[in-house]
Structure formats: C-alpha cells, structure tokens
Amino acid sequence: MKLWDKGISIDKKIEKFTVGNDRELDMFLAEYDLTASEAHAKMLGKVGILSEKEVEDLVAEIDKLKQQLQNGNFVIEEDFEDVHSKIEYELTQTLGDTGKKIHTARSRNDQVLVAMQLYFKDNLQEIIAKTKNLISILLDLAEEHKEKVLPGYTHLQVAMPSSFGLWFSAYAEILIDDLYLLEAGMKVVDQNPLGSAAGYGSSFPIDRQFTTDELGFATLKYNVVAAQMSRGKCERTVTSNITSLANTLSRFAMDICLYMSQNFSFISFPDELTTGSSIMPHKKNPDVFELIRGKCNKLQSISNEMILITNNLPSGYHRDYQLIKENSIYSVENMKEILDIFSHSIAQIEVKDIDLSDEKYKYLFTVDSINDLVMQGQSFRDAYMEIGGQVQNNSYEPVALKEHSHLGSKDNLALEEIRKKMS
C-alpha cells in the first residue's frame, strides 16, 4: 500500500530505489506517527470533520497499535512503503471507511515532519540528560583527584603543571557549551508543523493550536511554507549540535588514548574494559575510546553531508529529504550509545601518581621560576631572559610545585560554579 497510490502500477526497480531503507528507519518513528495520528483524529473530531464515535474508534485502534509496538509485535512488511501507509492500512482493515478518513487534512509531508520532530524532541532530551550525567561524573572525578598533579602540554611538549582535577573539570565545562547547543536545537524542533499538509495548508477548518497542545509542542510553525521548509533545517540543526558534542568527546577520547600509553602512563582502566593482542600478551588496548573517537569523527562528517544534500534546494518538498532521515537517526542513536559507554568507562578510570622529579618534567616549572623573580622585583621580560638563559646553558634547577590560587586554576577549580552552569 502507498498513500499516493492512484491504481497505477509502478516499476519494481523504481519502487525499490525510491523506498530505500525507509521501512527499517521508520521503526524509530512508529511511536511518534501513532501519537501524531491520535492527536490529528481528535482534532478532526473537534472541528466536526469526524464524529465522536469515529474519533473514539480511531483512538482505540491506534492505542492497540501502540501496544503492539511496545510488545515488539509491530512490523512494517515489504508490502508497505513506510510506517505511515502501514498504520493507515491497519486502521482501514479494522475500521473500514473510518480508517480511510484518518488522512483527511494532512499530507505524508507533514506526517513525516511531525513524527521526526517528536522523535528529535524526545531524543534530544535523552541526549541532554546523558550529557549531564557524564558532566556530573567528571566533576566528581575532578573533586576526587584535585590534588593529583598532571603535566600540562602545549604542542604535545611539556608546558606547565596541571592537575587531574583541572583535566576532568575542563571537559565537564566544555560539555556544558555543547548542552547550550543541544538546548538551542530543542527550540528549533519544538514547533508543531502538523497542519501544513503538503506545504500550503488546507481548506479544511483545522485547529492547529489544538494539535500543538495535544502533542506537547512549545509553539507551532505558523507559516505553512516555513513548516515545510523546516524539513532539512531540523535535521541539519540536530546533527550539527550533535557534531559539537561529538567533537568534544572525540578530543577527550584522544587524550585518554595518549595518557594510557606507556610513554605517558598517567591513567589506566580495569582489564575488563580493555582488549588484548592476538600475539602480544602484554597489550592492554583502549579500544573503547578508539572506537568512540572514530564514531564521533564519523558523526562530524555527517553534518557536512547533510548540508551538501540540502543547501541549494528551493522551497517546497523534494525527495532529496528522504536521504537525510537515515543520517539524522544514525546521529541520534549513535550519540546515545556513545554517551552511555563513555560514562560507564570513565567512571572506572584509574589515576596514577606521577613522579614530577623525572628528568622529562624538568622544565615544567620554568614559568613559576620566572614568576618568583618577578615577585622579587624583576620585570617579566628580564626574568624571562634569565630563566631562558638557564634553560639554554643547562643550568636550570626546577623550583618546588607552587599553588595556583586564582579562580579556575589547578588549586581553585570552581567546581560548584561549573555545577551551577550545568543546572
């Protein structure tokens, strides 16, 4: 069954090409299409297009389909083009002419739009919650390890003293920036497109505010052409915001891979979180973080692909939009998995004691040495030249580790202030 079927057979090669993998992807949207169909039926009853009995029958049958979905018994067979045609078929099979009325005053275009935006709303909320959980874990780790010194690096060269508290809370605070973007994405998708039909509205006296309230949208997309143009815009926004989060997690995973190597040896993980080698029995590989890095980099490439598919499309619907459904669902589902495994793993990190008297850390304290001279009355430039000369002639002797007292430094992490930002 196809919602656009007018009784004309379509070439099977064309059908296979145009349907693609919509049936598989639409299983992620089935719950939301059923919810939107229920709200649409109630609205049709409110404006007098459906009778009270017809609405009751439709709602009852939709609820049965929801139960099938929850029980794992809902299947979109190959006879159907997508979830929308499957649901309408089931309603028609059970209710006859009443089932055929469910599509009144809507198009598959706004059906897809509203299902996608409800999916994005739910899942962005879940991603935000999972990100907050990871931030909380990192802030707890920062508190636990705030006294443990960690060499800081610039250009991958030893730079200045840092701490594990500073490292963990740095990623916690930068993840809050990603939260801001995710919340901005929520504002974009939290606008009801239902009622825009094929993008030019309907001559039926529909009540779009009713479905907006019924579906829990913050507002509606008032202009029906703008609602149709949000196809692509919403997907790009969501994947772009997930891209920012993926970038942060990818960088964090890279740090972890470096710090686990024997050349750094700053951290470790329990054996059960690592993998070995088929020929080297000593290996303890951070495969989970390497895969997180790779998956996050793949998610970042998707955002560019979405732009290329949609950036020069004129107003109105175009079938090109079908191609971005897979990317956006892939981004959402993979990010949820990545956040789960990252939180599970990082919570079990083992922080090592680092011997700062090791020769390779000798110049970790040159800036503190310069600051000592400045506090004794020298100008910064003269102090810099003096310590620089000692480094060049190999006469430099490191000073003792000094406290950094200013807000946001290694000895004043401002963890509570960062927590307030998150909330």
Side-chain angles (χ1 to χ4, degrees):
M1 179 186 172
K2 303 170 185 65
L3 297 184
W4 50 269
D5 190 353
K6 297 181 286 291
I8 301 170
S9 296
I10 185 171
D11 187 299
K12 290 300 180 186
K13 285 187 177 181
I14 298 297
E15 180 177 5
K16 183 177 180 181
F17 182 76
T18 55
V19 171
N21 60 349
D22 259 16
R23 281 184 290 267
E24 293 82 0
L25 294 172
D26 279 1
M27 288 303 296
F28 290 101
L29 304 180
E31 171 190 352
Y32 304 104
D33 194 65
L34 287 165
T35 297
S37 293
E38 190 169 321
H40 185 67
K42 290 178 181 178
M43 183 276 295
L44 292 177
K46 179 177 181 293
V47 301
I49 294 174
L50 293 180
S51 69
E52 185 175 334
K53 176 67 166 60
E54 287 173 325
V55 173
E56 288 176 0
D57 289 345
L58 283 166
V59 169
E61 290 305 319
I62 289 170
D63 287 344
K64 288 179 184 177
L65 292 173
K66 284 183 177 180
Q67 193 60 51
Q68 283 183 26
L69 188 63
Q70 290 175 6
N71 295 339
N73 299 324
F74 184 90
V75 178
I76 307 172
E77 296 88 350
E78 288 190 8
D79 296 340
F80 299 99
E81 187 173 23
D82 51 31
V83 69
H84 318 294
S85 54
K86 163 72 173 179
I87 290 170
E88 185 170 327
Y89 173 83
E90 293 294 342
L91 294 175
T92 302
Q93 283 293 101
T94 308
L95 300 175
D97 287 345
T98 299
K100 294 177 183 179
K101 294 181 179 181
I102 190 64
H103 203 62
T104 305
R106 69 176 180 177
S107 163
R108 186 169 61 165
N109 290 342
D110 63 342
Q111 265 190 276
V112 176
L113 274 168
V114 72
M116 287 295 296
Q117 286 179 228
L118 289 170
Y119 167 81
F120 287 143
K121 273 188 64 178
D122 265 9
N123 284 278
L124 279 177
Q125 287 170 346
E126 189 175 346
I127 288 172
I128 287 169
K130 289 177 185 293
T131 304
K132 286 185 175 182
N133 178 57
L134 176 56
I135 292 168
S136 294
I137 291 170
L138 294 177
L139 291 175
D140 289 345
L141 287 168
E143 179 66 38
E144 180 182 353
H145 300 292
K146 63 184 178 183
E147 305 294 340
K148 290 214 169 183
V149 180
L150 174 70
Y153 290 79
T154 62
H155 307 275
L156 280 180
Q157 307 293 306
V158 170
M160 291 177 63
S162 181
S163 72
F164 280 101
L166 204 59
W167 182 57
F168 286 125
S169 58
Y171 277 106
E173 190 167 10
I174 212 72
L175 281 167
I176 293 172
D177 291 342
D178 297 321
L179 280 182
Y180 295 154
L181 291 174
L182 292 169
E183 288 165 357
M186 276 291 293
K187 288 186 75 71
V188 172
V189 301
D190 202 7
Q191 305 174 83
N192 181 22
L194 188 59
S196 58
Y200 300 97
S202 172
S203 59
F204 289 107
I206 59 175
D207 186 340
R208 297 189 64 210
Q209 188 59 53
F210 177 88
T211 56
T212 299
D213 298 336
E214 188 75 14
L215 293 170
F217 281 104
T219 185
L220 56 83
K221 203 73 169 179
Y222 295 100
N223 185 296
V224 291
V225 176
Q228 186 53 247
M229 289 173 69
S230 66
R231 184 78 188 270
K233 182 83 167 181
C234 288
E235 290 92 335
R236 284 197 310 273
T237 299
V238 169
T239 54
S240 176
N241 295 349
I242 287 175
T243 287
S244 178
L245 179 56
N247 176 268
T248 302
L249 296 178
S250 178
R251 295 178 67 185
F252 197 1
M254 182 63 200
D255 273 7
I256 290 168
C257 292
L258 278 177
Y259 290 178
M260 271 192 72
S261 75
Q262 290 89 339
N263 299 76
F264 286 81
S265 196
F266 296 159
I267 60 173
S268 187
F269 286 90
D271 290 345
E272 56 267 26
L273 297 186
T274 62
T275 61
S277 163
S278 62
I279 64 170
M280 295 173 283
H282 67 282
K283 293 298 293 297
K284 189 174 177 178
N285 300 325
D287 280 17
V288 66
F289 292 101
E290 291 174 346
L291 286 171
I292 285 172
R293 182 177 61 197
K295 284 174 177 283
C296 285
N297 290 340
K298 186 173 182 178
L299 290 181
Q300 291 179 78
S301 73
I302 284 175
S303 182
N304 290 331
E305 187 176 320
M306 302 279 271
I307 291 169
L308 290 172
I309 292 172
T310 62
N311 68 349
N312 62 351
L313 295 180
S315 60
Y317 176 77
H318 309 278
R319 196 63 180 264
D320 310 52
Y321 289 125
Q322 180 178 328
L323 302 178
I324 63 176
K325 182 196 290 186
E326 180 175 9
N327 280 350
S328 52
I329 291 175
Y330 177 92
S331 295
V332 166
E333 298 301 325
N334 273 267
M335 181 48 72
K336 290 191 297 184
E337 182 185 28
I338 288 166
L339 286 166
D340 282 341
I341 199 67
F342 209 124
S343 295
H344 174 73
S345 300
I346 199 69
Q348 301 178 65
I349 193 171
E350 297 168 355
V351 172
K352 296 184 179 182
D353 293 320
I354 300 169
D355 181 11
L356 295 184
S357 65
D358 190 298
E359 180 67 19
K360 62 178 170 284
Y361 301 129
K362 179 177 181 179
Y363 298 125
L364 193 65
F365 307 97
T366 56
V367 175
D368 285 339
S369 297
I370 293 169
N371 293 349
D372 279 349
L373 294 177
V374 171
M375 294 301 291
Q376 294 167 20
Q378 282 195 37
S379 69
F380 175 83
R381 186 53 55 207
D382 287 344
Y384 177 90
M385 293 299 293
E386 181 175 332
I387 298 301
Q390 293 175 16
V391 170
Q392 291 300 314
N393 62 31
N394 204 30
S395 64
Y396 173 75
E397 291 295 330
V399 297
L401 182 66
K402 295 190 178 300
E403 182 176 343
H404 293 187
S405 60
H406 71 77
L407 193 64
S409 63
K410 70 179 179 66
D411 300 304
N412 186 2
L413 295 174
L415 298 183
E416 286 310 307
E417 288 79 359
I418 295 173
R419 287 188 195 276
K420 288 176 184 176
K421 268 190 177 185
M422 180 174 65
S423 61

